[in-house]
Amino acid sequence: MARAGVASRRKSETLISTGHVQVNGTVIRELGTKVTADDAIQVDGVAIQQEQFVYYLLYKPRSVVSTAHDDKGRRTVVDLLDDIDERIYPVGRLDYDTSGLLLMTNDGELANQLMHPKFKVDKTYVAKVKGVPTNDALEKLRHGLVVDGHKTSPAKSKLISVDHRKNTAIVQLTIHEGHNHQVKNMLTAVGFPVEKLRRDSYGPLTLDGLTSGDYRELKSVELEALRESISNKKGFRR
Ligand code: URA
């Protein structure tokens, strides 16, 4: 009901427990009653329209904020998907100057599960760094290191290429945590500050076939794969 814009979550609960809500013609008073898109819901005899869940994959460009609103009036990822009727929002964040894969949806439950650390969804980033990371630095990232007072989980790290002339390198890093500026902080902590950062994958989802600024709906096999990627993790409840 809250999602359909009838009332706030709390007000909706009051409407249910005080007998204002009918499902398929029967008054229900039990909070948490499950309904599907096929059920007819009425509030005081007036039918409400359920919003369908939608899932979009966006190749976020740099210089766009990944919140729904920005105090400074900068362009947001929601502005980029302006032909979509549903109120969608990003699953997690990418920094203003980070590009790459961002999942956008109105399915709050899936979004919360994906962002919860216990589900350990792998995210792969490609960073251009200043300097050429040593084996020792890459090993530290694999092992886990203290950043901002907390120990990072072991990451996968790989040196992709080196530009000796410019003294820069491309590094691939896969992590499942999502602390603020985590990749930048990890690479800075081992001595290689990030000049550019892109997220190439999120769980089973990749940017394949998209260029910066593109977006498309998830295919049902991709959504299934995404659900699969968390369903066998400890603590999962459907
Ligand atoms: N890590 C970062 O440092 N920045 C991002 O945008 C995402 C992960």
Side-chain angles (χ1 to χ4, degrees), residues 72-164:
K72 297 181 191 146
R74 292 173 296 184
R75 206 150 60 117
T76 75
V77 287
V78 174
D79 297 334
L80 295 178
L81 281 74
D82 59 357
D83 58 344
I84 292 160
D85 294 334
E86 292 81 4
R87 266 177 300 157
I88 56 173
Y89 42 87
V91 177
R93 298 215 175 148
L94 288 176
D95 294 335
Y96 182 68
D97 59 357
T98 299
S99 64
L101 198 158
L102 198 60
L103 181 65
M104 312 263 304
T105 184
N106 53 354
D107 182 345
E109 194 175 343
L110 182 67
N112 285 338
Q113 287 172 342
L114 289 168
M115 285 189 287
H116 199 289
K118 78 180 170 198
F119 292 120
K120 298 193 167 79
V121 177
D122 273 346
K123 295 135 206 150
T124 298
Y125 295 85
V126 173
K128 180 179 175 192
V129 297
K130 212 171 160 54
V132 179
T134 55
N135 281 335
D136 186 42
L138 296 171
E139 200 47 53
K140 276 190 190 140
L141 296 167
R142 286 181 200 128
H143 194 256
L145 67 160
V146 177
V147 174
D148 270 350
H150 68 83
K151 175 117 192 265
T152 62
S153 292
K156 288 181 199 145
S157 63
K158 195 167 153 187
L159 186 62
I160 304 287
S161 63
V162 174
D163 185 333
H164 288 293

Side-chain angles (χ1 to χ4, degrees), residues 60 66 93-99 123 125 175 177-186 194 197-199:
K60 176 195 172 297
S66 55
R93 298 215 175 148
L94 288 176
D95 294 335
Y96 182 68
D97 59 357
T98 299
S99 64
K123 295 135 206 150
Y125 295 85
I175 60 171
E177 296 159 308
H179 298 289
N180 264 352
H181 315 304
Q182 179 154 352
V183 172
K184 291 175 186 167
N185 289 346
M186 286 172 77
V194 171
L197 186 61
R198 183 182 71 223
R199 180 156 73 192

